[in-house]
Amino acid sequence: MLFNVMLFFLITFSSLEVSATELFEVPEEELTKEVVLPRFDRLEMVRRPKVTFKNRFEIGVFGGAVFTEPIFNPYRYGLEGGYHFTENHSVSLSIAQWMSGLNNQYASSIEAQGGQGGDRYDLTRAPSPRMSYWLFYNLKAYYGKISLSKKDVLNMSLYTQLGVGATSFEHKTYPGVAIGIGQRFYFSPSAAIKLEARLQYQGSVNPFIGNQKLKKNQPKPSYSEFSDHQRFGTIIELGFVWLL
Amino acid sequence: MRKMFSILLLAILMIHFGGIDSLAIAQTAKRRKQIAANQPVTFKSDRIDRVQKLVTDNKFLEASIELYQLKKDKRLDQAQVSYLLGLTLMEQGYQQVAAMQFIDVIRRGKNKYVRSALNRLFIIADLLGEDSIIHYAVKKIAGDDPPAMALDPFYFRQGEYFSDNGNVKGAIESFRKISSKSPYYFLGQYKLYLSYLELNQPQQALAIAERMLRMANNQSDRHLMLLAIARAYYQGKDWEKAIRYYKMVPRDSLYWPQALFELSWAQLRAARFRSVVGTLQTLHSPFFENEYNPETFIVRSIVYVYICRFDEAEKTLMVFDKVFGGYVKKARSFYLSHKGQLRAYWDEVRKASLRLEGKNSQSHDGQIPYPIMKSIVTSGEIQKLLKYIIRVNQELARWESDGKLKGHSIFSYGRKVLSRRLQVAQNQVAKLAQYALERKIEDWTDLQEQAQFVMYEVVNGKKEALKAIISGVSDKQSDLDHDKQREFYVNNGYEYWPVDTEYWLDEIGNYHYMGKQQCR
């Protein structure tokens, strides 16, 4: 899905590029081939940046997936809000709602391992995740721009994240930590698409208890019978952000 | 070196206090001591003996203290005492206080120390780099033999002196005498080049600059010579070659902003209007917001008028008036309320200098806007004086921290001399700053007149364009560029993209104006 989105953008911008190329001609001798940078009293790569961050709040919506979640539905969506203390430092808080159900790709084959009919495993008996709450500290590493169409310019920022948070399951809430990297593309001084990738380490429920108890023809186990375990998870999120 | 100096000094002491006629005695320490012990003296006192001994023992500071006390002894030849005091102070690195001793010798009129004092004074003046002392020494030496131990510095300073006094041919003669092995050679040749330009002989100037470009052994000199060649071509009205050389000054050069400014003029003269605007877009980027360059806005507006982009011209003039008009308004207010108040001008210079050196915060707390002060403070004359002030300040700090001097009469004398020199130099800086500010205010009036002329052309051009629309010659009202949009693209030689409100360090210098001329 993500690949399709990116492909869409690339195709769109590539088509614009053709029309922009026809706009002008610059004499060859006027084209600069230098790679050195001018020297000024203060070393600043950009003056009057189009997107400024300092003392600005932001809100956003996002959707994403925990790609290492084999049992439960890995997709989730949520809201986020943040505040930029400086041009480079910010904090953000995100709240995500997990989609209900099981992982379509793997869960049915795991369930089938129990047998047919009443012997089939029922993974819905395990407590599933409901909400995630994360607080991130973000450090902007790079602010730049890109012109894919040669007619328009997109600003972008690359940042790293450190986060602490928790994920609540039906019976219990588990804490966790995360590190991540994010990239934003600004369509205007206030609106951006964001793409974030994170590695998180957090507590979770182990859905595999004594196999017989997961079988449909067996009495439903209580949530307290499920053990806890710590695990790594990889997350990718795509969203829209508005700087206020 | 120090030993040699003490031998020489001792010889001088013995010649003058002991009546010895030859300097040949200054050979070895052993020989010196023998002479000191055996030669007859015409005037002798315990104190002279003590000075001799102190010099022999390299105790110049103590010798200076003794000699200063001898200045009150009317029985002694005071020219001689001052000269010797100057030598001992010079040996300790107290150049400014020593200079006053040599000046004292010279002012006493004809005496046998004048020539030596002049030579020493010239050496000190060259080290201190202060024009009034240099000119004093050069003027006094004129007609006499130049100092043998500082021939090249003398010719260089003499050339500068002639040049400052409008004697360009004399300056050329002096600069030509500088030996090619001298550290003054490169600068001397550059001054020679400038002298030829002043005489409106760009071909000779060009030949010198091209030769110096080949000889330049560091990047800074090389860039200066590229600029020099471009200027010679410009003066020779060879715009295309001038443009080529201006463009050869690399972006990381200290001369690049100046090259850009001059390039815009060369491009204008070569009728490369679109290129002019591209070049000026760089100079008008926020990276140059601390530069006082109102003239470039007039140039830009003229180009827009040439290509009938009247709205662009109007917008440029509006920026010119808003930005620089604001600066000049503040500067004028300061000028009117601080006439003759040199201290206030010195304070302004000091604040601007501190910021220029990065020792002050980026917020300028002076009353005259920083871009104006920056253009004043960076002028050659003021920079030279500021460097002199730093040297005198350093000498004063060293003098005051010298524990052995404290408690002696020479201590308060030296402090007074140095403080006075500082005061004089600061007043000179303040006067130059005041004069420069006055000129800037006057120039602003001229620039405003030019802006009004351009504005007249803008209004006239707009009127003609409207007439054309009304009479049906043209119905393309959109050509009048009502949206006032500028079309600039950045090109790094391979790719291009539009300039989009923000300015990047790696983009400046690569702007290309894409607006077309709209004259019909």
Side-chain angles (χ1 to χ4, degrees):
Chain A
M1 181 186 164
L2 189 67
F3 176 76
N4 290 341
V5 172
M6 290 177 79
L7 195 62
F8 167 73
F9 277 113
L10 278 175
I11 291 168
T12 308
F13 289 134
S14 301
S15 61
L16 287 171
E17 187 176 321
V18 177
S19 59
T21 313
E22 295 162 0
L23 281 176
F24 57 85
E25 293 167 10
V26 178
E28 185 67 27
E29 76 273 8
E30 290 200 8
L31 300 183
T32 307
K33 306 288 191 298
E34 281 186 273
V35 290
V36 292
L37 294 176
R39 290 198 291 186
F40 291 98
D41 299 341
R42 279 187 296 164
L43 180 63
E44 283 178 295
M45 283 308 294
V46 60
R47 299 296 302 269
R48 284 190 210 155
K50 196 165 133 188
V51 186
T52 55
F53 299 92
K54 191 177 178 183
N55 296 334
R56 290 183 80 176
F57 286 94
E58 67 175 34
I59 55 168
V61 293
F62 63 88
V66 181
F67 283 91
T68 47
E69 174 53 63
I71 308 298
F72 303 110
N73 190 337
Y75 296 106
R76 55 195 196 164
Y77 58 90
L79 297 171
E80 66 175 20
Y83 179 70
H84 295 264
F85 296 104
T86 67
E87 286 297 316
N88 296 323
H89 300 271
S90 68
V91 290
S92 59
L93 180 69
S94 76
I95 300 170
Q97 167 77 57
W98 289 72
M99 307 277 274
S100 60
L102 299 173
N103 187 323
N104 290 333
Q105 197 171 357
Y106 303 113
S108 58
S109 59
I110 294 170
E111 283 179 332
Q113 286 174 17
Q116 297 300 314
D119 285 338
R120 189 178 169 88
Y121 294 143
D122 181 8
L123 292 171
T124 60
R125 293 182 167 198
S128 59
R130 291 280 182 254
M131 302 286 285
S132 283
Y133 313 92
W134 286 88
L135 178 68
F136 293 107
Y137 159 71
N138 307 301
L139 174 64
K140 183 157 62 92
Y142 170 79
Y143 171 76
K145 66 177 188 177
I146 186 169
S147 176
L148 295 172
S149 70
K150 295 192 176 181
K151 195 175 180 185
D152 299 295
V153 171
L154 283 179
N155 286 98
M156 54 190 187
S157 71
L158 181 71
Y159 54 96
T160 54
Q161 294 185 308
L162 277 178
V164 291
T167 297
S168 64
F169 283 69
E170 285 172 293
H171 68 308
K172 203 171 177 181
T173 297
Y174 295 92
V177 291
I179 56 167
I181 186 165
Q183 174 82 62
R184 291 183 184 191
F185 295 95
Y186 289 88
F187 293 98
S188 78
S190 298
I193 283 181
K194 76 158 194 176
L195 181 66
E196 287 174 0
R198 279 195 297 279
L199 177 67
Q200 70 179 35
Y201 181 71
Q202 80 158 94
S204 179
V205 68
N206 182 357
F208 301 104
I209 55 174
N211 283 344
Q212 300 305 314
K213 292 185 179 178
L214 278 181
K215 289 194 171 184
K216 284 184 175 178
N217 55 15
Q218 296 297 317
K220 192 175 178 180
S222 70
Y223 287 159
S224 60
E225 290 180 66
F226 288 88
S227 62
D228 301 335
H229 69 168
Q230 300 291 324
R231 52 186 271 207
F232 283 99
T234 53
I235 296 157
I236 289 182
E237 284 175 358
L238 185 67
F240 288 95
V241 178
W242 289 268
L243 281 162
L244 304 174
Chain B
M1 184 69 193
R2 198 176 172 87
K3 200 157 193 170
M4 284 294 291
F5 181 83
S6 60
I7 292 167
L8 182 66
L9 189 58
L10 183 69
I12 295 164
L13 274 168
M14 293 181 69
I15 291 161
H16 301 302
F17 288 107
I20 302 167
D21 294 328
S22 169
L23 279 174
I25 54 170
Q27 299 299 322
T28 64
K30 191 179 173 185
R31 174 82 179 127
R32 193 176 65 219
K33 281 176 184 170
Q34 284 172 350
I35 293 166
N38 302 327
Q39 293 301 318
V41 292
T42 52
F43 174 80
K44 191 167 169 63
S45 76
D46 291 345
R47 298 176 85 180
I48 295 298
D49 286 343
R50 202 155 52 239
V51 171
Q52 285 182 338
K53 176 133 189 22
L54 289 170
V55 172
T56 312
D57 297 341
N58 285 341
K59 292 180 176 172
F60 299 107
L61 192 139
E62 290 82 354
S64 303
I65 294 167
E66 286 294 325
L67 280 163
Y68 185 73
Q69 285 172 351
L70 290 178
K71 284 189 87 167
K72 291 163 193 163
D73 193 337
K74 300 296 174 195
R75 291 172 300 169
L76 295 170
D77 179 354
Q78 283 304 307
Q80 181 184 41
V81 174
S82 291
Y83 178 66
L84 294 169
L85 178 58
L87 289 180
T88 53
L89 288 167
M90 197 176 166
E91 176 62 17
Q92 296 166 75
Y94 293 126
Q95 312 291 6
Q96 182 58 69
V97 189
M100 300 317 286
Q101 309 314 311
F102 296 130
I103 289 171
D104 182 48
V105 174
I106 297 160
R107 280 183 179 160
R108 284 177 184 277
K110 281 189 177 177
N111 64 68
K112 55 185 173 184
Y113 306 100
V114 168
R115 192 166 164 206
S116 302
L118 265 174
N119 289 350
R120 300 280 172 187
L121 179 66
F122 176 77
I123 291 165
I124 288 177
D126 188 48
L127 281 171
L128 290 171
E130 203 271 331
D131 277 348
S132 66
I133 305 177
I134 292 170
H135 289 182
Y136 179 80
V138 167
K139 211 158 63 177
K140 290 282 179 187
I141 293 171
D144 203 346
D145 289 338
M149 62 179 77
L151 266 180
D152 292 322
F154 175 76
Y155 291 133
F156 178 74
R157 298 298 186 182
Q158 190 182 45
E160 279 190 324
Y161 172 72
F162 285 146
S163 188
D164 288 352
N165 288 284
N167 180 3
V168 183
K169 287 187 177 165
I172 287 175
E173 204 177 313
S174 295
F175 291 134
R176 279 194 175 283
K177 286 179 186 167
I178 300 171
S179 155
S180 61
K181 288 170 187 166
S182 164
Y184 284 80
Y185 183 67
F186 191 87
L187 213 49
Q189 287 293 300
Y190 182 63
K191 297 266 180 176
L192 184 63
Y193 153 87
L194 291 177
S195 302
Y196 277 121
L197 284 189
E198 210 173 332
L199 286 179
N200 201 20
Q201 295 177 7
Q203 285 308 317
Q204 281 90 332
L206 182 63
I208 292 167
E210 284 176 337
R211 185 158 43 83
M212 296 312 293
L213 178 64
R214 289 191 294 273
M215 289 175 69
N217 55 12
N218 64 57
Q219 288 300 312
S220 179
D221 288 349
R222 191 174 171 277
H223 302 159
L224 180 65
M225 285 307 117
L226 287 170
L227 198 56
I229 292 171
R231 285 168 174 169
Y233 277 125
Y234 186 93
Q235 190 161 335
K237 298 184 179 174
D238 191 339
W239 317 122
E240 291 301 330
K241 281 186 180 164
I243 289 170
R244 197 194 308 158
Y245 276 92
Y246 280 128
K247 280 178 164 273
M248 283 165 75
V249 178
R251 271 182 288 181
D252 61 347
S253 168
L254 290 174
Y255 301 105
W256 184 63
Q258 185 60 30
L260 269 187
F261 173 63
E262 292 174 25
L263 170 67
S264 68
W265 272 106
Q267 287 169 330
L268 181 68
R269 301 297 293 270
R272 288 163 71 165
F273 299 131
R274 198 181 46 72
S275 306
V276 182
V277 185
T279 304
L280 290 178
Q281 175 75 357
T282 294
L283 283 174
H284 295 164
S285 73
F287 285 99
F288 293 92
E289 68 189 3
N290 287 329
E291 304 299 322
Y292 182 74
N293 53 6
E295 193 184 334
T296 58
F297 282 80
I298 299 286
V299 174
R300 188 168 179 162
S301 65
I302 290 170
V303 172
Y304 283 138
V305 169
Y306 275 140
I307 60 174
C308 304
R309 307 283 290 203
F310 301 115
D311 284 334
E312 293 279 14
E314 193 179 352
K315 189 174 179 181
T316 306
L317 290 173
M318 277 163 56
V319 174
F320 162 82
D321 198 50
K322 189 181 168 194
V323 176
F324 299 102
Y327 289 161
V328 175
K329 193 180 169 189
K330 283 185 185 170
R332 187 183 284 121
S333 159
F334 180 88
Y335 174 74
L336 293 174
S337 59
H338 293 82
K339 271 189 176 168
Q341 294 178 31
L342 296 181
R343 192 73 222 167
Y345 279 93
W346 167 249
D347 282 343
E348 291 294 312
V349 170
R350 195 175 47 79
K351 283 172 187 169
S353 302
L354 286 174
R355 180 166 171 189
L356 202 60
E357 291 162 17
K359 290 176 186 167
N360 203 353
S361 67
Q362 290 303 315
S363 60
H364 179 62
D365 56 351
Q367 294 179 60
I368 303 172
Y370 178 64
I372 292 185
M373 277 316 293
K374 188 183 173 191
S375 70
I376 290 173
V377 168
T378 49
S379 77
E381 275 184 294
I382 289 184
Q383 278 299 307
K384 210 189 265 188
L385 274 167
L386 289 175
K387 280 178 189 158
Y388 169 70
I389 287 170
I390 290 170
R391 287 189 194 112
V392 177
N393 256 324
Q394 286 168 345
E395 190 171 326
L396 179 62
R398 212 156 60 78
W399 186 273
E400 287 182 332
S401 64
D402 198 329
K404 288 181 182 172
L405 281 172
K406 281 179 187 167
H408 297 281
S409 51
I410 193 172
F411 176 73
S412 52
Y413 164 76
R415 199 159 61 169
K416 201 171 147 190
V417 164
L418 291 168
S419 303
R420 177 76 192 135
R421 286 306 304 165
L422 273 180
Q423 191 59 50
V424 168
Q426 287 173 6
N427 285 347
Q428 275 180 289
V429 169
K431 279 179 191 165
L432 285 171
Q434 188 180 10
Y435 178 69
L437 188 67
E438 198 178 320
R439 290 298 307 271
K440 291 221 180 289
I441 293 168
E442 283 171 14
D443 289 348
W444 173 252
T445 311
D446 292 342
L447 286 169
Q448 266 187 318
E449 276 178 22
Q450 288 177 38
Q452 281 164 5
F453 278 126
V454 180
M455 199 62 202
Y456 168 78
E457 292 298 333
V458 168
V459 174
N460 200 37
K462 279 186 167 183
K463 189 182 78 183
E464 293 301 321
L466 280 171
K467 268 187 190 172
I469 293 165
I470 293 164
S471 62
V473 176
S474 169
D475 59 354
K476 293 178 182 174
Q477 195 160 354
S478 59
D479 282 1
L480 288 175
D481 207 9
H482 281 291
D483 56 2
K484 296 189 181 183
Q485 285 295 310
R486 289 194 179 131
E487 296 169 76
F488 281 95
Y489 271 75
V490 185
N491 191 302
N492 66 358
Y494 306 101
E495 296 293 335
Y496 59 88
W497 52 86
V499 175
D500 195 14
T501 71
E502 62 188 11
Y503 292 82
W504 289 82
L505 189 63
D506 56 347
E507 289 180 348
I508 59 170
N510 294 337
Y511 297 128
H512 297 279
Y513 177 61
M514 304 322 295
K516 291 174 183 168
Q517 70 94 5
Q518 292 188 332
C519 303
R520 51 174 77 80

